[in-house]
Amino acid sequence: MEPKPEPRMTPKVRTQTESAWKYVFSFFWMILFTAISFWIVLEGTLGTEATFWSITALAAVQVVLQLITFMHLDFGKYRFVAIFMALGIFIAVVSAIGIVLMP
């Protein structure tokens, strides 16, 4: 009785169409978030602070989309890169808050 060979893990082969639609879909969302940001500012219905935080949140989502889609950042494969990027963003946010709150 011969041992059965182990099945090999074969990566999923993407077609060019699937890959292209991924970029188009992500680009659509980024354009939509930019349009929402412009609309928020043009309408002026939100206060200054709410406008700032909503635009900042939309920008953060766009950064993540761009890193994943266009920069090909795979969080499973590049775990240390993602950790150091998150640490850098954290330090930048803490520094920015400190500068804003300084008298």
Side-chain angles (χ1 to χ4, degrees):
M1 190 173 199
E2 291 182 27
K4 292 182 181 177
E6 293 183 27
R8 293 186 179 185
M9 297 289 290
T10 56
K12 180 182 174 187
V13 178
R14 289 188 181 178
T15 63
Q16 275 188 317
T17 307
E18 287 176 349
S19 181
W21 278 109
K22 175 184 169 187
Y23 291 115
V24 170
F25 182 72
S26 181
F27 183 70
F28 167 77
W29 280 106
M30 285 184 258
I31 294 296
L32 181 67
F33 291 146
T34 302
I36 291 171
S37 297
F38 275 110
W39 180 77
I40 288 171
V41 172
L42 288 175
E43 284 295 313
T45 55
L46 296 177
T48 306
E49 190 171 332
T51 300
F52 171 78
W53 287 113
S54 60
I55 290 174
T56 303
L58 289 171
V61 171
Q62 281 190 356
V63 166
V64 171
L65 276 174
Q66 288 181 8
L67 285 173
I68 292 172
T69 305
F70 297 114
M71 302 301 289
H72 306 287
L73 180 65
D74 181 14
F75 290 110
K77 191 174 180 182
Y78 300 106
R79 189 173 313 244
F80 286 115
V81 174
I83 289 170
F84 285 118
M85 284 176 44
L87 182 63
I89 291 170
F90 175 74
I91 291 171
V93 167
V94 169
S95 299
I97 290 172
I99 290 171
V100 168
L101 295 179
M102 276 193 326

